[in-house]
């Protein structure tokens, strides 16, 4: 692992203004080190504040760490930078689902399908669920809450 770090450090020394190099270092060198990954992704944003990939990596890092408020904040920033960033719509919908806010989850699913109408059958994350499944599950939960 130390050897990898040396190579990334050399690359960053030669190309300090390359946000992709910072992202790569965060992903490869600090695979399970939240703080150092976050620092690398933040460095990528210092180089290029509109680098959508860096913003999404930060958002996903917060998601993995169950820091949902922060994850939503960065995913919304990614959407502002790139309105077709379907991963951000989906993750926001998923977070609201996890938190039990099914109506808001449905709203984000609908926003996603407005951006990409062909996405309803796409699987997300590792669960194998689709957008259609998430919508159906949320509608069922709302109905259950209202009908007892």
């Amino acid at each position: 692992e130390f050897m990898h770090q040396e190579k990334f450090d050399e690359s960053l020394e030669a190309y300090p203004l390359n946000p992709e190099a910072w992202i790569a270092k965060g992903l490869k060198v600090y695979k399970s080190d939240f703080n150092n990954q976050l620092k690398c992704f933040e460095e990528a944003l210092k180089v290029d504040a509109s680098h959508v990939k860096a913003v999404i990596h930060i958002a996903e890092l917060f998601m993995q760490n169950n820091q949902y408020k922060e994850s939503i904040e960065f995913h919304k920033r990614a959407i502002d930078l790139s309105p077709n960033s379907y991963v951000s719509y989906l993750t926001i919908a998923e977070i609201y689902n996890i938190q039990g806010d099914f109506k808001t989850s449905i709203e984000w699913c609908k926003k996603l399908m407005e951006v990409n109408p062909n996405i309803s059958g796409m699987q997300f994350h590792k669960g194998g669920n689709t957008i259609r499944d998430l919508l159906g599950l949320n509608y069922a939960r709302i109905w259950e809450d209202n009908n007892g």
Side-chain angles (χ1 to χ4, degrees):
E1 197 167 296
F2 183 71
M3 193 67 151
H4 284 301
Q5 184 169 350
E6 278 183 3
K7 287 181 182 179
F8 282 106
D9 289 344
E10 286 172 17
S11 173
L12 284 166
E13 217 172 279
Y15 305 102
L17 299 180
N18 181 351
E20 292 293 330
W22 284 107
I23 290 170
K25 182 176 180 180
L27 292 173
K28 303 287 185 197
V29 177
Y30 300 116
K31 289 179 190 168
S32 58
D33 182 339
F34 175 87
N35 290 326
N36 280 317
Q37 271 195 327
L38 184 59
K39 284 178 190 172
C40 287
F41 301 150
E42 287 172 339
E43 286 297 325
L45 286 179
K46 283 180 189 173
V47 171
D48 180 359
S50 64
H51 199 278
V52 178
K53 216 159 118 180
V55 173
I56 290 173
H57 280 300
I58 291 172
E60 288 297 309
L61 197 58
F62 282 126
M63 172 72 174
Q64 293 164 13
N65 207 39
N66 298 326
Q67 293 177 265
Y68 298 130
K69 182 182 170 196
E70 294 85 351
S71 181
I72 288 171
E73 182 184 314
F74 275 91
H75 276 299
K76 285 180 177 179
R77 183 172 165 188
I79 291 167
D80 288 343
L81 293 170
S82 176
N84 293 325
S85 178
Y86 71 87
V87 116
S88 291
Y89 291 94
L90 178 57
T91 305
I92 292 171
E94 192 176 7
I95 288 170
Y96 283 115
N97 183 61
I98 290 167
Q99 294 179 327
D101 186 346
F102 308 121
K103 287 181 182 177
T104 306
S105 179
I106 288 169
E107 289 171 20
W108 280 95
C109 287
K110 287 180 177 180
K111 287 179 187 183
L112 170 61
M113 290 189 297
E114 286 171 17
V115 170
N116 187 343
N118 301 319
I119 207 163
S120 67
M122 186 192 96
Q123 291 187 347
F124 57 92
H125 290 290
K126 296 174 187 107
N129 293 325
T130 64
I131 305 298
R132 198 171 28 246
D133 295 336
L134 183 59
L135 273 172
L137 186 60
N138 285 336
Y139 278 121
R141 287 174 173 157
I142 290 169
W143 184 89
E144 203 174 85
D145 287 347
N146 291 330
N147 297 294

